[in-house]
Amino acid sequence: MSNEPPTRVTVWGENRVERSDADVRAIYPEGMHETIADAIREHLGGSVEVRTATLDDPQHGLARPLLAATDVLTWWGHLAHDEVRDDVAAAVQQRVLDGMGLVVLHSGHLSKPFTRLMGTSCNLRWREADDRELVWTVSPAHPIARGIPPVFAIERQEMYGEFFDIPPPDELVFISSFTGGEVIRSGCCFLRGKGRVFFFAPGHEHHPVYHHADVRRVIANAVLWAHVDQPCAVDTSTCVESPSGWFDERR
Amino acid sequence: MSNEPPTRVTVWGENRVERSDADVRAIYPEGMHETIADAIREHLGGSVEVRTATLDDPQHGLARPLLAATDVLTWWGHLAHDEVRDDVAAAVQQRVLDGMGLVVLHSGHLSKPFTRLMGTSCNLRWREADDRELVWTVSPAHPIARGIPPVFAIERQEMYGEFFDIPPPDELVFISSFTGGEVIRSGCCFLRGKGRVFFFAPGHEHHPVYHHADVRRVIANAVLWAHVDQPCAVDTSTCVESPSGWFDERR
Amino acid sequence: MSNEPPTRVTVWGENRVERSDADVRAIYPEGMHETIADAIREHLGGSVEVRTATLDDPQHGLARPLLAATDVLTWWGHLAHDEVRDDVAAAVQQRVLDGMGLVVLHSGHLSKPFTRLMGTSCNLRWREADDRELVWTVSPAHPIARGIPPVFAIERQEMYGEFFDIPPPDELVFISSFTGGEVIRSGCCFLRGKGRVFFFAPGHEHHPVYHHADVRRVIANAVLWAHVDQPCAVDTSTCVESPSGWFDERR
Amino acid sequence: MSNEPPTRVTVWGENRVERSDADVRAIYPEGMHETIADAIREHLGGSVEVRTATLDDPQHGLARPLLAATDVLTWWGHLAHDEVRDDVAAAVQQRVLDGMGLVVLHSGHLSKPFTRLMGTSCNLRWREADDRELVWTVSPAHPIARGIPPVFAIERQEMYGEFFDIPPPDELVFISSFTGGEVIRSGCCFLRGKGRVFFFAPGHEHHPVYHHADVRRVIANAVLWAHVDQPCAVDTSTCVESPSGWFDERR
């Protein structure tokens, strides 16, 4: 296994609030995307190649060749979802269906790529306050729970609560509770086309969530899980007309 | 239970090939939608009110008030998917998320409402030939399998085969095989928002599939299952800001 | 639909602590099983026939003819799980596989019928204290959530928390949180054989949980959902040798 | 990743028919278990340590220390399921719940460890004949489908068909069809406790199925997938009483 090429990861960040808000910049001086990229490098080392891309890069840093060279894309956005070009969002959706992994973080639940892939509103309850979030592992055999304790606390967090309007997750890994009593399915796996999607709820920009050791490990585990390293050769680009015995002739 | 108001069903049909192709018209003189509507009335009698709507009706027969007055919509379309207006497709998607049932038949797998709700390509393999389709029940406790035998045959059918690019069904009720050896997940349930979606693969226009007793019963069962008669009062129209204790004050 | 025969419900209760503990008897003077039976009658009226059975009845009130005449069985037990005869537990498991519904309440998670059907330990965390339990609906389109608010509170409850060692539920309807911050998948559907199983976590004997309006409605909804009124005629009693074309000859 | 210790695999075989039936012995001279072990070594090389064990070994080769030193167990048995000791079957079940992977092959569907873990009869239809089995990939993003074509053929096989009385798989990877028209969910994943279970239907002893290149690769993929290399530290051995704040004190 040691000769496998590194997983090519693109960490995408909106990178606006980090520049406009001094409080956020104090927590994430290089932008949240750099902190997230570091978390992935810290855990996965030489088995990944991590680059970052942001909203204000040309084509949001997601031009076709760059997407084609990405095995796993992580996504954090918040107030500027509408500024993401529709054609880029469609290209991200298509890349997932073609086998790319997608790890959607926190407010990315309303991003165009995620809502297009889910088909639902992805709305949820929220509250900007100082709730403590407890993240509970409900699928201890899942690769994304590897090395994660049965429960971990994020001392100050924005509340994200049910009903969270997503399709029933194909695998539910984490459930969070908040001081106010709310709960949310906070770690959710979806298989879509030849790709894999993971949503992870923690991550408010005003709290140092991406510096939290367990959060960092979950993100790294999710990148590994989302990487489909040898997608099955099914053709999903069109409806394939298939005369009787097509699979015999193929051999 | 006997005092419940009838389930309001709208049977939507493209109704083009029935008019342009004499062979199809011979099988479905009033259009496929009328045959499907009759199947639902036959099985559900006074517990349903069934109306039909077609592509060439104003707003495709799916103006907002009509959609709002529909509990379950069934959908058959084929060659004219592109002629369905985007705003109508979006309205159908939204109605499902708000609690309407949707039963998608055969070539409807590529319809705009279905692909928007699924988030995937919904492509599959196909062959127009004279395969026999065998429909196998793999979830005998499911309401949609009520009264359906362990297997039933449709003597001549278009082949629809895997890989069928849909999300993993939330419940898989039927799997079909074809003379050529192909298989497809042919009866698939999806929960989306406050609504329920069922896809059923049988139904080629050149064969009398909607006259088949078991197919008719499956469709009627699906209408019953898809009807959410008292949707939970969650608000999914937006992300609801929720101050601490909001649910106590609500009482 | 109005001519259907009533659903035959057996409400099973251990009925020990109600007799030995005056505090419990004050809450449930006739035993918890009678309170639960009343909840079902209250909501489902003439569409059900409800009888009760208890541990100390002959064969626990679950002799073969009685089981055979039961469409849905509800189960509450706690300290005397071990006193349930193995042959009766096996018969209940088999009846579920043959198409009976089973609604398992609270401490019934460790009952023999449930653990046999799940194949896992069904262990969980617990605390006898005065936590408030909040029950959140995470599947608003599910029949068991019919008429249930997005969240409801049980003011004093025993805590039941994750990790709850059950198979991933086939459908997850409710998640609960507790004052202490714990969460549990508290409303879980399982399809097993030709039967349906629902686990519902609320229900400590020292609190009047089964007098709670929403809890009562959930139980009634669960009885309706669990009733497989016309099980598919698959034969699961043995591995059936099936010569080629067996399904053609059957017709 | 290259410094990880090898995955410890035990390949268990009944190893009776290979000794009693010359036809089987001609296909599997060392027993099926050795052929299966070779398939795993062939694909996974130095990343696994593979040993074999058989029914007639002391304690079936599954004494507690051996089980404890097994990360993934594969299981093939057929006519002698009843000879497997109940205490050994219970120990295998417990080891899975504690984090061992289990890959159940073909007629192992009726083995004691599998039926205990499933909670259902696991019965299915069958026919000893010369059907061709076609194995279709329905989850192209799944690790077990890595490198597997969209469809592959096993030229002569025993038919295993629906209804297959298992819980709905947590992930469905393969569906097979047979010459006679039957289908079966032939590649099924289950998460149970802290362990993972995969059932794979191909494998009749009278046909050289375990010499088939794609079958061998599926088994190797399944071993990798089933290995939980760092199980989450939840305690499922008992119901853990947990005073308020237990998780804070733990830190």
Side-chain angles (χ1 to χ4, degrees):
Chain A
M1 315 291 282
S2 52
N3 295 322
E4 293 191 354
T7 300
R8 299 164 300 172
V9 182
T10 299
V11 174
W12 193 90
E14 200 176 271
N15 196 30
R16 288 274 178 84
V17 70
E18 298 96 320
R19 291 183 288 159
S20 63
D21 185 317
D23 291 345
V24 176
R25 197 164 53 242
I27 304 172
Y28 301 107
E30 311 296 322
M32 265 178 283
H33 51 288
E34 293 297 345
T35 303
I36 293 166
D38 283 345
I40 297 168
R41 290 186 195 106
E42 171 193 342
H43 280 282
L44 304 182
S47 66
V48 287
E49 276 177 12
V50 183
R51 73 177 190 96
T52 60
T54 66
L55 180 64
D56 293 321
D57 293 340
Q59 295 191 60
H60 316 319
L62 299 171
R64 297 299 170 96
L66 294 171
L67 267 184
T70 297
D71 296 314
V72 180
L73 174 67
T74 75
W75 193 281
W76 191 99
H78 187 199
L79 293 177
H81 292 314
D82 284 349
E83 294 183 44
V84 173
R85 287 166 40 177
D86 284 338
D87 63 330
V88 172
V92 170
Q93 177 185 23
Q94 188 57 51
R95 248 316 262 144
V96 170
L97 299 179
D98 288 343
M100 184 178 72
L102 178 66
V103 177
V104 176
L105 297 170
H106 192 60
S107 43
H109 71 96
L110 286 184
S111 65
K112 288 181 181 177
F114 188 63
T115 56
R116 291 175 72 109
L117 281 160
M118 296 296 103
T120 55
S121 75
C122 301
N123 284 323
L124 45 69
R125 291 188 174 281
W126 62 283
R127 170 175 63 245
E128 284 198 278
D130 285 335
D131 286 66
R132 179 163 81 155
E133 177 173 356
L134 295 170
V135 183
W136 298 87
T137 299
V138 297
S139 185
H142 199 280
I144 297 181
R146 185 175 181 255
I148 303 300
V151 59
F152 66 88
I154 304 172
E155 292 303 327
R156 296 174 63 214
Q157 253 288 38
E158 184 178 13
M159 184 280 288
Y160 268 19
E162 298 283 348
F163 175 65
F164 180 22
D165 186 16
I166 49 171
D170 297 316
E171 300 175 304
L172 179 62
V173 185
F174 303 113
I175 296 174
S176 293
S177 68
F178 294 84
T179 307
E182 287 91 351
V183 299
I184 192 166
R185 291 165 293 171
S186 55
C188 302
C189 298
F190 304 93
L191 302 179
R192 291 297 183 269
K194 295 186 275 185
R196 299 182 198 147
V197 180
F198 183 66
F199 173 76
F200 190 49
H204 193 47
E205 62 270 27
H206 287 283
H207 300 309
V209 176
Y210 296 122
H211 295 288
H212 186 294
D214 292 317
V215 169
R216 293 167 75 86
R217 182 152 192 177
V218 168
I219 294 171
N221 286 348
V223 164
L224 275 187
W225 172 83
H227 181 204
V228 182
D229 66 349
Q230 200 170 328
C232 179
V234 296
D235 180 1
T236 56
S237 66
T238 185
C239 284
V240 182
E241 188 170 1
S242 305
S244 285
W246 60 271
F247 44 84
D248 290 311
E249 293 160 25
R250 192 197 47 175
R251 285 153 177 273
Chain B
M1 313 293 281
S2 52
N3 295 324
E4 294 191 354
T7 299
R8 300 163 300 172
V9 182
T10 298
V11 174
W12 193 88
E14 198 176 273
N15 196 30
R16 289 276 177 83
V17 69
E18 299 97 320
R19 291 182 289 159
S20 64
D21 184 317
D23 291 345
V24 175
R25 197 163 54 242
I27 303 171
Y28 301 109
E30 311 296 322
M32 266 177 285
H33 51 288
E34 293 298 345
T35 303
I36 293 165
D38 283 345
I40 297 167
R41 291 186 194 104
E42 172 194 341
H43 282 282
L44 304 183
S47 64
V48 287
E49 276 178 12
V50 183
R51 74 177 188 95
T52 60
T54 66
L55 179 64
D56 293 322
D57 293 340
Q59 295 190 58
H60 315 318
L62 298 172
R64 297 299 170 95
L66 293 171
L67 267 184
T70 296
D71 296 313
V72 181
L73 174 67
T74 75
W75 193 282
W76 191 99
H78 187 200
L79 293 176
H81 291 314
D82 284 348
E83 294 184 42
V84 173
R85 288 167 39 178
D86 283 337
D87 64 329
V88 172
V92 170
Q93 178 186 21
Q94 188 58 52
R95 251 310 268 146
V96 170
L97 298 180
D98 288 343
M100 183 178 72
L102 177 66
V103 177
V104 176
L105 298 170
H106 191 60
S107 43
H109 70 96
L110 286 184
S111 65
K112 288 180 181 178
F114 188 64
T115 56
R116 292 175 71 108
L117 282 160
M118 296 295 105
T120 56
S121 75
C122 300
N123 283 324
L124 45 69
R125 292 187 174 280
W126 64 282
R127 170 175 63 244
E128 284 199 279
D130 286 335
D131 285 66
R132 179 162 82 154
E133 176 174 356
L134 296 170
V135 182
W136 298 86
T137 298
V138 297
S139 186
H142 199 280
I144 298 181
R146 184 174 181 255
I148 304 299
V151 58
F152 66 88
I154 304 172
E155 292 303 327
R156 295 174 63 212
Q157 253 288 38
E158 184 179 13
M159 184 281 289
Y160 268 19
E162 298 283 349
F163 176 65
F164 179 22
D165 186 17
I166 49 172
D170 297 316
E171 300 176 304
L172 179 62
V173 185
F174 303 112
I175 296 173
S176 292
S177 68
F178 294 84
T179 308
E182 287 91 351
V183 300
I184 191 165
R185 291 164 293 172
S186 55
C188 301
C189 297
F190 304 92
L191 302 180
R192 291 298 183 269
K194 295 187 274 185
R196 298 181 198 148
V197 179
F198 183 66
F199 173 75
F200 190 48
H204 194 47
E205 64 270 26
H206 288 282
H207 300 308
V209 176
Y210 296 122
H211 295 287
H212 187 293
D214 291 316
V215 169
R216 293 167 75 87
R217 181 150 192 180
V218 168
I219 293 171
N221 286 349
V223 165
L224 274 187
W225 172 83
H227 181 203
V228 181
D229 66 350
Q230 199 170 328
C232 178
V234 297
D235 179 0
T236 57
S237 67
T238 185
C239 283
V240 181
E241 188 170 2
S242 304
S244 285
W246 60 270
F247 43 85
D248 290 311
E249 293 160 25
R250 192 196 47 177
R251 285 155 177 272
Chain C
M1 316 293 281
S2 52
N3 295 323
E4 293 190 355
T7 299
R8 300 164 299 172
V9 182
T10 299
V11 173
W12 193 88
E14 199 175 272
N15 197 30
R16 288 276 178 84
V17 70
E18 299 97 319
R19 291 183 287 158
S20 63
D21 185 317
D23 291 345
V24 175
R25 197 164 53 243
I27 304 171
Y28 301 108
E30 310 297 322
M32 267 178 283
H33 51 287
E34 292 297 345
T35 303
I36 293 166
D38 283 345
I40 298 167
R41 290 186 195 105
E42 171 194 342
H43 281 281
L44 303 183
S47 65
V48 287
E49 276 178 12
V50 184
R51 73 175 190 96
T52 60
T54 65
L55 180 64
D56 292 323
D57 293 341
Q59 295 190 59
H60 316 318
L62 299 171
R64 297 300 170 94
L66 294 171
L67 267 185
T70 297
D71 296 314
V72 180
L73 175 66
T74 75
W75 193 281
W76 191 100
H78 186 199
L79 292 177
H81 292 315
D82 284 349
E83 294 184 43
V84 173
R85 287 166 41 178
D86 284 337
D87 63 329
V88 172
V92 170
Q93 177 186 23
Q94 188 58 51
R95 251 310 268 147
V96 170
L97 298 180
D98 289 343
M100 184 178 72
L102 178 66
V103 177
V104 176
L105 297 169
H106 191 61
S107 43
H109 71 95
L110 287 184
S111 66
K112 288 181 181 178
F114 188 63
T115 56
R116 292 175 71 110
L117 281 160
M118 296 296 104
T120 55
S121 75
C122 301
N123 284 324
L124 45 69
R125 290 188 175 280
W126 63 282
R127 170 175 61 245
E128 284 198 278
D130 285 335
D131 285 67
R132 179 162 81 155
E133 177 173 356
L134 296 170
V135 183
W136 299 86
T137 299
V138 297
S139 186
H142 198 280
I144 297 181
R146 182 173 182 258
I148 303 300
V151 58
F152 66 88
I154 304 172
E155 292 303 327
R156 295 173 65 212
Q157 253 288 39
E158 183 178 14
M159 184 279 289
Y160 268 19
E162 299 282 350
F163 177 64
F164 180 21
D165 187 17
I166 49 172
D170 297 316
E171 300 175 304
L172 179 61
V173 186
F174 303 113
I175 296 173
S176 292
S177 68
F178 294 84
T179 307
E182 287 91 352
V183 300
I184 192 166
R185 291 165 292 172
S186 55
C188 302
C189 298
F190 304 92
L191 302 179
R192 290 299 183 269
K194 295 188 273 185
R196 298 181 198 147
V197 179
F198 183 67
F199 173 76
F200 190 49
H204 194 48
E205 63 271 26
H206 288 281
H207 300 309
V209 176
Y210 296 122
H211 295 287
H212 186 294
D214 292 317
V215 169
R216 293 167 74 87
R217 183 150 190 179
V218 168
I219 294 172
N221 285 348
V223 165
L224 275 187
W225 172 82
H227 181 204
V228 181
D229 67 348
Q230 199 170 328
C232 178
V234 297
D235 180 359
T236 57
S237 66
T238 185
C239 284
V240 181
E241 187 169 3
S242 304
S244 286
W246 60 270
F247 44 84
D248 290 312
E249 291 159 27
R250 191 197 47 176
R251 285 155 177 272
Chain D
M1 317 291 279
S2 51
N3 295 323
E4 294 190 354
T7 299
R8 300 163 299 171
V9 182
T10 299
V11 174
W12 193 89
E14 197 176 274
N15 196 30
R16 289 276 179 82
V17 69
E18 299 97 319
R19 291 182 286 159
S20 64
D21 185 317
D23 292 345
V24 175
R25 198 164 53 242
I27 304 172
Y28 301 108
E30 311 296 322
M32 266 178 283
H33 51 289
E34 293 297 344
T35 303
I36 293 165
D38 283 345
I40 297 167
R41 291 187 194 105
E42 172 193 342
H43 282 280
L44 303 183
S47 66
V48 288
E49 276 178 11
V50 184
R51 73 176 189 96
T52 60
T54 65
L55 180 64
D56 293 323
D57 293 341
Q59 294 190 62
H60 316 318
L62 299 171
R64 296 300 170 94
L66 293 171
L67 267 184
T70 297
D71 297 313
V72 180
L73 175 66
T74 75
W75 193 281
W76 191 99
H78 187 199
L79 293 176
H81 292 314
D82 284 349
E83 294 184 44
V84 173
R85 287 166 39 177
D86 284 337
D87 63 331
V88 172
V92 170
Q93 177 186 22
Q94 188 58 51
R95 249 312 267 145
V96 170
L97 298 180
D98 288 342
M100 184 179 71
L102 178 66
V103 177
V104 176
L105 297 170
H106 191 61
S107 43
H109 70 96
L110 286 184
S111 66
K112 288 180 180 178
F114 189 64
T115 56
R116 292 175 71 108
L117 282 159
M118 296 295 104
T120 56
S121 75
C122 301
N123 284 323
L124 45 69
R125 292 189 173 280
W126 63 283
R127 169 175 63 246
E128 284 198 279
D130 286 335
D131 286 66
R132 179 162 81 155
E133 177 174 355
L134 296 169
V135 183
W136 298 86
T137 299
V138 298
S139 186
H142 199 280
I144 297 181
R146 183 173 181 256
I148 303 299
V151 58
F152 66 88
I154 304 171
E155 292 303 327
R156 295 174 63 212
Q157 253 288 39
E158 184 178 12
M159 184 281 287
Y160 268 20
E162 298 282 350
F163 176 65
F164 179 22
D165 186 17
I166 50 172
D170 297 315
E171 299 176 304
L172 179 61
V173 185
F174 303 113
I175 296 173
S176 293
S177 68
F178 294 84
T179 307
E182 288 90 353
V183 300
I184 191 165
R185 291 165 292 173
S186 55
C188 301
C189 297
F190 304 92
L191 302 180
R192 290 298 183 272
K194 296 187 273 185
R196 299 182 198 145
V197 180
F198 183 66
F199 173 76
F200 190 48
H204 193 47
E205 64 270 25
H206 287 282
H207 300 309
V209 175
Y210 296 122
H211 295 287
H212 187 292
D214 291 317
V215 168
R216 293 168 75 87
R217 182 150 191 178
V218 167
I219 293 172
N221 286 347
V223 165
L224 275 186
W225 171 82
H227 181 204
V228 181
D229 67 349
Q230 199 169 328
C232 178
V234 297
D235 179 0
T236 57
S237 67
T238 185
C239 284
V240 181
E241 188 170 2
S242 304
S244 285
W246 60 270
F247 43 85
D248 290 311
E249 292 160 26
R250 192 196 46 174
R251 287 155 175 270

